[in-house]
């Protein structure tokens, strides 16, 4: 988020081409892709990551751990139960007919853990 003069705050996230920007950190499986495009697959996971942080910490003043790490950052590149596709790629989320490999998110309950969902 940035302040754009006065009381106006513009909230944004920039998600670039993960293959070019950060292949070692952003692309979980660069040689095989659930959607035949490793860069796009990595961007999908990055977008989910940033949306979670934008919702839970839109003003950059919400919860962090003792090391000042946000909830989605605590689980970066950690994936839940994955299913293998015929081409060898893996995914852990289906939305309609589309499959994605999306990182888990921090659940700040019962000592804390990474998960795709929270169950009380």
């Amino acid at each position: 988020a940035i302040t754009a003069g006065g009381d106006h705050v513009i909230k944004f996230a920039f998600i670039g081409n993960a293959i070019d920007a950060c292949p070692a950190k952003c692309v979980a499986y660069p040689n095989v892709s659930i959607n035949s495009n490793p860069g796009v697959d990595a961007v999908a996971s990055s977008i989910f990551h940033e949306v979670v942080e934008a919702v839970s910490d839109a003003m950059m003043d919400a919860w962090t751990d003792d090391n000042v790490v946000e909830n989605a950052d605590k689980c970066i590149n950690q994936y839940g139960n994955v299913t293998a596709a015929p081409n060898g790629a893996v995914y852990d989320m289906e939305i309609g007919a589309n499959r994605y490999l999306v990182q888990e998110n921090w659940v700040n309950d019962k000592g804390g853990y990474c998960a795709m969902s929270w169950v009380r």
Side-chain angles (χ1 to χ4, degrees), residues 52-117:
V52 164
E53 288 182 346
V55 168
S56 64
D57 189 11
M59 298 305 292
M60 304 284 297
D61 62 356
W63 181 88
T64 59
D65 69 9
D66 292 339
N67 295 313
V68 194
V69 177
E70 292 178 292
N71 54 349
D73 294 332
K74 290 184 71 65
C75 301
I76 197 154
N77 293 330
Q78 292 186 40
Y79 303 95
N81 296 325
V82 296
T83 302
N87 70 349
V90 295
Y91 62 95
D92 61 1
M93 180 179 286
E94 289 185 79
I95 300 174
N98 301 304
R99 297 173 174 166
Y100 304 96
L101 181 64
V102 177
Q103 77 164 61
E104 295 178 313
N105 190 42
W106 184 251
V107 176
N108 200 26
D109 188 33
K110 301 176 184 170
Y113 57 95
C114 295
M116 292 298 286
S117 62

